[in-house]
Each structure stands twice: as C-alpha cells, then as structure tokens.
C-alpha cells in the first residue's frame, strides 16, 4: 500500500518543513488570486518538481481529465485517513489546470481541455469559504493575471460578462448558496453561447473538517442557550453542502463536462457521527446534525450517478 501522501520529495529548509508537510489550500488560493507567491505551494513549478507521478496519482488525474471530455457533471469525495495527501493532490490539480505545467507532465493532457476548463476552489477549514469563488472569478477578468494567458479568451469573456450582470449583488452572493451556484451555471451557459466547450473543475478541501468544527460550535451554543450564535454556525456549515447540491441541480442535464471533488476524511465523518450520538438527548441538535450529514451523502450519490455510483478517487493500491 502506497498512499498519495508519500508522493512528494522535500526540497526546502527545516524552517518550512511544517508548511511542506501540511500545505494550506486556502493560502494557495489567496496567493493565486493576488498573483503572489508567499507560500512555495503557490508556485506551479515548485509543486510540479516535488510531486512524484506515482501510478495511483496518475490514475486519479487521468480519471478527472477523461471526465472533463464527457458532457456530464460528476463528483466524488476524497474520504481516507489523515496523511493521505488529499490537499497535495488538490494543489497539483489546481496548478495543472490553471497554469502551463500540464505541458511538462507525461499524461497527454490536451491544450483545449485546460484552456476551456473553469477551475474554482475553496477551503472549508476557513470561515466563509464561498467568498473565494467570487474572488477567483474576479481574477479571471483581470487581463494581467497569469490565468489570462492559459484560458480561452471566450471563457474569460463569459466570466466578465456575467460578473457585470451580478455587479450589484456580487459580494452578497457567498451568503446565498443558490444564487452563487446560479452565477457559476450562467458563466458556463454563456461560454457555450459564445462558442466554447464548457468544462468545470471544482475542488473543495477540508469539507469534512469544516463541517465537524462548525457543527460542534452549533451544538455547544445550543446547549448554552445562545441560539443566534448556534444558528450562525449551522448556517455556515450548511452553506457549502447546499452550494454543491444547488450546483448539481443547475448543471444536471446541461451539455457541460464537470468534475467536483471534495475532501471528507474518515476521522471527520466519525467525529460528526460521535457528536450526533453525544447529543441524542436533544432532538433538535441531533436531527440537524444527522440531517446535514444525510444531505451530504445524498449530494454525493447524485454526483456519482454519472460514474455509475463508483468513485473517481481510488488513490491507493
């Protein structure tokens, strides 16, 4: 058994060893948006150099690449133990489809697939992670951003046109999962109208960890009688799951090739289940925790229909 967590070579000083072993997807997204490289993992060339293309990693990448050629929206969780290298795999995917390093990997990835794919990412270990989607879309409209040299001009035009239509409500969208999913779907539809071949790659890191932490806050605040704070925590947990569900509903049946990957570690699921059991004496807390977990499972089942209920993420052998 060789997990993906063992597929990179350390090429840094001891001072940055922790960053190397526990990379932050959110930090990379933030640097990408602002076109800076405060973390080594924001550098596509660095990530390529330290990533060993082992058979399981190549299989994972190739499966996603193949699905981006089929006009069906599919998705799958990365749900394995900690240390499996889930964030590293997402980082590699992010750079592979937002820069030109795909030309240097031995995977026969075509130019048009990279150019025509709208790539978005969020890290649910942070507060209000959906705000990153709006910020990333704005980066696509910046002609001076490196992504403008990689993506199809018609895709960039589609993003620019749709964002202008939503200009007045742009910064309130992250608090409305349905409206945010609608925005992404409209960009995909506009790109098709402009003559493009729409493709979408959505990468969601630490979904399970974020849910576990926010649900714990929800349960604690409910027990303390702080219902307003409890509902705020629950709404934040619910937002990411709702976004995945709404996005599927708006793209299902449309001629778009889409792949959605979200990270839920085994430990996260066990923690949420344990939290529900611990609060079984409180029907409201118990039912809301179990309900959100059920929503996530149902959403996963919907996304897996396009791959006959199987997983895109068989990452170990």
């Amino acid at each position: 058994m060789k997990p993906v967590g063992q597929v990179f070579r350390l090429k840094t000083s001891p001072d940055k060893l922790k960053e190397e072993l526990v990379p932050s997807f959110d930090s990379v997204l933030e640097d990408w948006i602002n076109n800076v490289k405060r973390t080594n993992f924001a550098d596509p060339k660095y990530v390529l150099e330290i990533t060993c293309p082992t058979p399981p990693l190549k299989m994972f990448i190739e499966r996603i690449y193949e699905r981006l050629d089929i006009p069906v929206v599919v998705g799958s969780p990365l749900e394995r133990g900690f240390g499996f290298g889930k964030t590293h795999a997402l980082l590699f995917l992010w750079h592979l489809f937002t820069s030109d390093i795909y030309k240097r990997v031995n995977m026969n990835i075509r130019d048009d697939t990279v150019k025509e794919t709208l790539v978005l990412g969020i890290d649910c270990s942070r507060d209000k992670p959906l705000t990153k989607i709006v910020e990333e879309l704005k980066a696509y409209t910046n002609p001076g951003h490196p992504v403008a040299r990689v993506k199809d001009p018609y895709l960039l035009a589609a993003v620019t046109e749709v964002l202008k239509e939503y200009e007045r409500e742009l910064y309130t969208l992250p608090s409305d999962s349905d409206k945010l999913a609608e925005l992404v779907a409209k960009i995909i539809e506009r790109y098709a109208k402009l003559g493009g071949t729409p493709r979408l790659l959505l990468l969601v890191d630490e979904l399970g960890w974020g849910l576990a932490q926010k649900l714990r806050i929800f349960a604690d605040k409910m027990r303390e009688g702080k219902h307003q704070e409890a509902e705020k925590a629950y709404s934040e947990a619910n937002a990411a799951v709702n976004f995945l569900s709404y996005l599927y509903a708006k793209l299902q049946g449309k001629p778009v090739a889409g792949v959605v990957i979200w990270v839920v570690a085994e430990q996260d699921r066990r923690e949420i289940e344990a939290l529900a059991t611990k609060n079984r004496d409180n029907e409201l807390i118990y039912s809301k925790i179990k309900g959100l977990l059920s929503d996530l499972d149902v959403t996963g089942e919907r996304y897996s229909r396009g791959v006959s209920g199987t997983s895109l993420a068989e990452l170990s052998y």
Side-chain angles (χ1 to χ4, degrees):
M1 175 84 60
K2 186 176 183 181
V4 173
Q6 297 177 358
V7 305
F8 59 91
R9 310 181 189 95
L10 295 180
K11 292 184 61 179
T12 190
S13 66
D15 292 340
K16 289 199 172 183
L17 186 59
K18 182 177 180 180
E19 175 193 327
E20 190 88 23
L21 294 174
V22 190
S24 166
F25 194 43
D26 185 76
S27 295
V28 170
L29 296 177
E30 186 70 22
D31 282 6
W32 183 86
I33 290 166
N34 294 300
N35 191 21
V36 296
K37 294 182 177 64
R38 290 169 295 192
T39 169
N40 286 335
F41 285 94
D43 184 347
K45 294 179 180 178
Y46 176 81
V47 173
L48 177 62
E49 288 174 359
I50 66 167
T51 302
C52 301
T54 60
L57 181 60
K58 289 184 68 175
M59 180 176 67
F60 176 53
I61 300 296
E62 288 168 357
R63 284 187 174 185
I64 291 174
Y65 171 69
E66 289 168 2
R67 295 307 309 191
L68 287 172
D69 259 348
I70 303 172
V72 176
V73 177
V74 299
S76 176
L78 283 179
E79 192 171 20
R80 301 291 177 91
F82 292 120
F84 186 73
K86 297 178 291 296
T87 297
H88 188 93
L90 293 192
L91 288 172
F92 188 62
L93 269 175
W94 176 266
H95 288 307
L96 200 60
F97 286 91
T98 59
S99 72
D100 63 358
I101 65 166
Y102 69 93
K103 297 177 180 179
R104 297 169 55 189
V105 297
N106 186 26
M107 294 186 192
N108 298 316
I109 296 177
R110 299 195 317 270
D111 289 354
D112 60 334
T113 301
V114 173
K115 291 178 179 179
E116 296 167 348
T117 300
L118 177 67
V119 187
L120 300 171
I122 60 175
D123 185 338
C124 292
S125 67
R126 306 304 172 97
D127 290 336
K128 300 180 180 179
L130 294 178
T131 57
K132 276 292 188 293
I133 290 181
V134 172
E135 294 172 3
E136 289 157 11
L137 289 172
K138 287 185 66 179
Y140 277 87
T141 70
N142 179 3
H145 195 283
V147 77
R149 299 194 294 269
V150 179
K151 297 300 178 181
D152 180 4
Y154 288 111
L155 174 58
L156 303 177
V159 176
T160 301
E161 289 179 12
V162 175
L163 286 192
K164 284 182 179 179
E165 295 171 8
Y166 283 78
E167 190 171 9
R168 292 185 178 181
E169 52 188 325
L170 202 56
Y171 290 99
T172 63
L173 289 178
S175 61
D176 187 337
S177 299
D178 185 24
K179 203 75 173 176
L180 185 61
E182 177 186 281
L183 171 69
V184 175
K186 282 195 174 182
I187 290 172
I188 295 296
E189 293 171 5
R190 184 67 53 85
Y191 182 39
K193 288 181 180 179
L194 292 175
T197 303
R199 312 172 202 263
L200 172 68
L201 177 60
L202 173 62
L203 306 174
V204 183
D205 199 15
E206 299 288 13
L207 177 59
W209 190 91
L211 291 180
Q213 300 310 305
K214 291 178 176 64
L215 288 174
R216 184 170 296 281
I217 294 172
F218 160 71
D220 289 345
K221 295 302 179 183
M222 284 294 291
R223 294 266 180 196
E224 296 169 7
K226 300 177 180 178
H227 294 171
Q228 189 172 356
E229 293 180 41
E231 286 303 320
K232 179 182 177 182
Y234 189 82
S235 294
E236 289 183 5
N238 202 31
V241 178
N242 277 346
F243 176 68
L244 295 180
S245 180
Y246 286 133
L247 185 64
Y248 180 83
K250 294 180 188 303
L251 295 179
Q252 195 271 336
K254 302 287 180 65
V256 53
V259 176
V260 180
I261 300 293
W262 59 94
V263 171
V264 181
E266 292 174 339
Q267 289 91 329
D268 298 330
R269 178 172 288 275
R270 289 199 297 269
E271 182 178 351
I272 296 171
E273 292 281 7
L275 184 63
T277 301
K278 180 181 177 181
N279 289 278
R280 194 153 196 164
D281 62 319
N282 187 309
E283 181 59 30
L284 178 59
I285 297 176
Y286 177 79
S287 62
K288 295 197 82 166
I289 294 175
K290 293 293 287 186
L292 185 53
L293 198 56
S294 177
D295 283 349
L296 178 61
D297 290 338
V298 169
T299 298
E301 290 170 5
R302 288 173 179 159
Y303 275 102
S304 70
R305 289 173 184 170
V307 285
S308 302
T310 61
S311 172
L312 291 167
E314 293 177 11
L315 294 185
S316 62
Y317 61 92

